[in-house]
Amino acid sequence: MKKIYFTLFALLLGGFVNAQELDRSKMPDPGPAPKIDLGETESFTLENGMKVFVVENNKLPRVAFSLVLDLDPIKEGDKVGAADLAGDLMMKGTKNRTKDEINFEVDFIGARLSTSASSVYGASLKKHQEKLLELMSDVVKHAEFNDEELDKLKKQYLSGIQTEKDDPDAIANKVRRVLLYGKDHPYGEIMTEETLENITLADAKAYYSTYFKPNVAYMAVVGDINAKEAKPLIEKYFGDWKKGEVPKHEFEAPEQPKMMQVAFVNKPGAVQSVISVFNTADLKPGSEDAIPARVTNGILGGGFISKLNLNLREENAYTYGARSNLSSDELIGYFNASAKVRNEVTDSALTETIKELKAMLDGDITEDELQTIKNYQTGTFSYSLENPQTKARFALNTERYDLPDDYYATYLKRLSEVSLDDVKRISKAYIKPQNGYMLIVGNQEEVAEKVKQFSPLGEIMFLDTYGNKVEETTTKEAPEGITAESVINQYIESIGGKKNLEKVKSMQVEMSTKMQGMDISIESYNGENGEYLSEVKGNGMTFQKQVFDGEKGKLSGMQGAKEMDEEQLENMKYESLIFPELYYLDEGYELELKGVDQLDGTEVYVLKVTKPNGQSQTNYYGADNGYLLKSESTLETPQGAFTQTSVMGDYKKVGKIMYPHKIDQSTGPQTMNIKVEEVKVNPNLDKDLFKVE
C-alpha cells in the first residue's frame, strides 16, 4: 500500500518514477520543462470596441460566454455597495422582460446566466446559444431597475452584514483591507449598515449607465463554436451596444507603517483566534517577479506541504491549516500569512509564524523545497490546460495586462528556471512584516495581553469589526448582586418561570429556512425521557436526521447512516434537554459570569457554561429582559474547528412559556436564517418516533 501511495504522490509532483528503485534520500533530478502548445485563440473586435476571444472545444455540445469589464477600482465613499447592488439588479428585470420572465426563459433552455458589478456569464447547450445571447444582451443593454427589487436586495445584504459580525474570518478579511489600504482607498472600503442605507436607486442606475460600456468590455467565447460562427452572432446581439466614455481613476499607493503594528478585534467568548501577518506588495500581474513570487509563496504557505502548514499543523498541532498568499495587482498587491488557532496557543502560533517568515528572509530554503513546489506547480499548470476556460483566461490576461504574446506558452520554461537566489530575492522584496501589520481577531480577555510582546512599542491598536479604532474593550464587571445564579434565575423567570417550564415534558418545533435558494424544513422533537429527534428536509429528500432514544443514537444523511459514538451519545444527553438552564445550577455544571458586554447596542450578561462532559459554550442574556440572545461554542469537524453561533430573537408566548421564533445559526462562514413556524408544548408523541434501528 505504501508503494502505491508514494507512486501516486510522485506522479502528482509531475514525474514518473519507479517506487522500488527510488532513492528516498534525495529529490529526483528535474526533467526538462514540458513544451506547451496552447493552440490558436481567435479574436476580433466589434466597431463599438468590445474585444472578443474564441476558444473552440468540440468535446461537448456546450458554449459559454464570459463578459468582463476592464475597470479601474472605484471609490464609493459613503455608498459602498452601490456597484454590487447594480450588478445584482441587472438580473431583476429589463425593458423587455420581468425578473420572472428572465428566470423562466433561462430555466426553460437549461442555461445559466448571472451578473455582477463587472461581469456577466452565460452558458448553455449549443443548440440554445442564440437564445442565450438574446437573454444575455438584453440584460447587458436594457437592464431596468426598480425600488422594490432594490429593497429586497438591501435586506439580503443587511442579513449578510449581520452574519459577518459573528464570523471571525469575515471580520479579519475586512479589517485587514482597512489596515492595508486605508478607508480612503477603494480596496479599503467596507460596506456597512450605514453605507447600504445611503444607496438609492439613482446610485445603482448611475453605476450601470456609467460603467457598462462595450469599449471597456472583453468577451471570452468557449465551447463548440469557432470565430467564423461566433462573429455574426456577437455582432447581432452586441453590435448595437453603444460605447461611451468611462471614467479613469488613479490612487496613490497606501503608506505602510515604519514598524510592525499589532491590531486586535475583540470577539468576546471566542475559543479560537484568527491570526494574520500582512503587508502591501508592489507586485504587478505578469511582471518579471510574478512567477518567482508564486514559487516563493508555495514554499512558505501555498499548500499542505508548505513551511507554515508543516510547522503550525504537523509539528505543533496549533491549527487545522496555515496558509499564505502573495497576490499581484495592477494597483497594489499584498502578502498575507494566516491561521485559526486555539486561544491558549495564539502567542505560540504567532511566534512560529514569524519564525517561518524570518527563515524565508534569511534564505533558509532547501533545494528540495524549491524543486518540490516547482514540480507541483508544473503539474497543476499542465492539468489546468485541459479546461478550455483556462485558455480563454490566458487570452484575456494577455490583452488586459499587455503581456508578451508567448507569456503562457513559455510559462513552464520560466517556472523551471526559478532558483534559490530568486526565492531569496522575492522574499526580501515582498515579505515585509517589519513594515506591516499583525492582526488578531479573538477573545481579548484571554489573548490580548499575551500578544503585546509582538509590538515593537508594546502597544496594541484595538479596532471594531469595521476597522475603526476603539478603546480597549474589556467586558465590564457585573453590578453588585448579579451572579451566575441570578442570571440563570432571571432567564428562567423571563420565559415562564420554573414551575411552568418543569411541566413541559415534550415538545415539537417546526422551522423553515432557505439554503442555496431551496426551501428547507427543520423539525425537532423532544420526548418525555430525554429522547430527541431532528430532521432536515428539502425537495422531498431528507438531508440530515439524528435520533436519540435516551441511550442509543444514530446519524443519517445523504452519505448514509452510522451509530453515534460514545462522545456523541454523551453530548446528546445535554443537547436533548428542552430547557437546559433548569439544570445549570446542578452539580457537575460550572458557571462563570464574565461580566457585562454590549450585543448590537443591548447590554448583556456574558456567562460561560461548562457541562459535566467538559464541553463549554458562552451565552449572552439580556440584562433587561433576561432572554437568551446569543450562544457560541466550538464545533470540531474533520475539516477543522468552527465557531458555531446562534442568535435568538422574536420571543413569543406559546401556552405559558416564551419561545424565540427567529434563530440565525452560523457555523463558520455558513449561515441559516431560521424561522420558527410552530411550537407544540406537551404533544402526544409516538414512542416509535425515537426508535433507533
Side-chain angles (χ1 to χ4, degrees), residues 237-453:
Y237 290 104
F238 289 92
D240 62 348
W241 187 14
K242 290 182 170 46
K243 63 181 180 180
E245 185 176 344
V246 175
K248 303 290 288 182
H249 307 286
E250 293 184 1
F251 302 94
E252 293 184 4
E255 290 187 15
Q256 295 302 284
K258 292 182 171 57
M259 60 181 70
M260 185 170 68
Q261 293 190 10
V262 178
F264 201 104
V265 178
N266 187 22
K267 189 79 172 58
V271 296
Q272 289 184 305
S273 301
V274 176
I275 60 172
S276 49
V277 179
F278 49 90
N279 57 264
T280 56
D282 189 14
L283 179 63
K284 299 294 189 286
S287 68
E288 182 181 342
D289 287 347
I291 295 175
R294 188 164 178 259
V295 173
T296 301
N297 185 69
I299 294 171
L300 174 61
F304 188 82
I305 57 173
S306 64
K307 283 177 172 289
L308 279 172
N309 198 62
L310 289 177
N311 183 328
L312 270 66
R313 175 190 165 108
E314 300 300 306
E315 293 177 25
N316 289 298
Y318 292 154
T319 179
Y320 281 89
R323 295 291 185 267
S324 68
N325 190 17
L326 183 49
S327 176
S328 64
D329 187 85
E330 281 188 288
L331 210 55
I332 185 74
Y334 67 89
F335 165 75
N336 177 49
S338 62
K340 187 184 291 184
V341 300
R342 304 187 309 278
N343 285 354
E344 59 269 25
V345 299
T346 299
D347 52 340
S348 300
L350 284 166
T351 297
E352 293 302 312
T353 298
I354 295 297
K355 170 186 164 184
E356 295 300 344
L357 299 188
K358 188 174 185 301
M360 297 296 292
L361 296 172
D362 291 343
D364 184 11
I365 308 152
T366 68
E367 188 67 44
D368 281 357
E369 288 175 321
L370 172 65
Q371 199 58 50
T372 297
I373 293 302
K374 285 165 61 174
N375 287 346
Y376 176 75
Q377 292 185 358
T378 295
T380 55
F381 181 88
S382 300
Y383 179 74
S384 73
L385 297 177
E386 296 183 13
N387 185 349
Q389 291 283 356
T390 299
K391 296 180 182 180
R393 176 168 54 84
F394 288 171
L396 290 181
N397 288 348
T398 300
E399 180 72 24
R400 290 181 67 183
Y401 303 130
D402 195 24
L403 304 179
D405 290 340
D406 65 348
Y407 181 83
Y408 290 103
T410 60
Y411 186 93
L412 291 182
K413 180 178 183 298
R414 283 175 288 124
L415 175 61
S416 70
E417 293 170 350
V418 176
S419 67
L420 282 175
D421 287 339
D422 290 326
V423 173
K424 294 172 186 177
R425 175 180 60 81
I426 291 295
S427 297
K428 289 182 177 179
Y430 299 108
I431 301 175
K432 298 182 177 182
Q434 71 277 13
N435 298 120
Y437 298 88
M438 176 184 287
L439 172 65
I440 302 94
V441 179
N443 189 327
Q444 178 182 312
E445 184 178 338
E446 296 185 15
V447 174
E449 196 62 34
K450 295 179 182 178
V451 301
K452 281 185 178 178
Q453 61 178 298

Side-chain angles (χ1 to χ4, degrees), residues 62-68 91 106 109-115 119-125 128-129 131-133 135-137 140 219-223 238 389:
R62 295 189 61 82
V63 289
F65 303 91
S66 304
L67 186 144
V68 178
M91 281 291 290
V106 170
I109 60 173
R112 291 171 57 195
L113 183 59
S114 60
T115 59
S119 67
V120 180
Y121 176 80
S124 73
L125 291 172
H128 298 307
Q129 64 187 17
K131 181 63 176 179
L132 174 63
L133 282 172
L135 290 165
M136 190 172 176
S137 63
V140 169
M219 179 178 282
V221 182
V222 180
F238 289 92
Q389 291 283 356

Side-chain angles (χ1 to χ4, degrees), residues 522-677:
I522 306 169
E523 295 182 1
S524 68
Y525 303 84
N526 296 81
E528 295 184 10
N529 300 303
E531 305 99 332
Y532 181 74
L533 168 70
S534 72
E535 286 187 287
V536 181
K537 300 178 181 179
N539 276 3
M541 298 180 290
T542 298
F543 296 119
Q544 186 184 77
K545 178 179 179 180
Q546 52 181 339
V547 60
F548 176 65
D549 66 5
E551 295 182 1
K552 303 187 301 296
K554 182 179 265 190
L555 299 168
S556 56
M558 305 294 287
Q559 305 301 320
K562 64 176 183 178
E563 293 184 0
M564 293 182 184
D565 59 31
E566 188 175 337
E567 183 179 346
Q568 291 169 328
L569 289 172
E570 185 66 19
N571 193 46
M572 281 305 299
K573 292 179 182 179
Y574 305 101
E575 294 296 323
S576 64
L577 299 174
I578 300 176
F579 300 110
E581 275 83 355
L582 286 174
Y583 305 89
Y584 279 3
L585 302 179
D586 291 352
E587 187 176 349
Y589 283 89
E590 293 181 15
L591 303 181
E592 182 184 359
L593 182 60
K594 294 287 189 178
V596 182
D597 211 329
Q598 293 285 321
L599 180 63
D600 293 333
T602 299
E603 197 170 71
V604 291
Y605 296 130
V606 184
L607 186 70
K608 182 179 180 181
V609 181
T610 303
K611 304 170 190 175
N613 65 348
Q615 298 231 344
S616 64
Q617 65 191 57
T618 302
N619 293 346
Y620 300 77
Y621 298 93
D624 288 339
N625 56 28
Y627 292 156
L628 175 61
L629 301 179
K630 181 179 175 181
S631 181
E632 283 185 329
S633 60
T634 298
L635 179 66
E636 298 284 349
T637 75
Q639 291 73 40
F642 295 93
T643 299
Q644 191 170 47
T645 303
S646 296
V647 178
M648 283 70 71
D650 191 22
Y651 275 80
K652 294 180 181 178
K653 197 163 188 177
V654 180
K656 294 184 178 181
I657 67 168
M658 300 294 291
Y659 197 89
H661 280 62
K662 180 183 177 186
I663 305 170
D664 295 334
Q665 193 166 80
S666 305
T667 303
Q670 304 297 322
T671 299
M672 289 194 300
N673 304 117
I674 301 171
K675 180 182 178 183
V676 176
E677 302 288 353

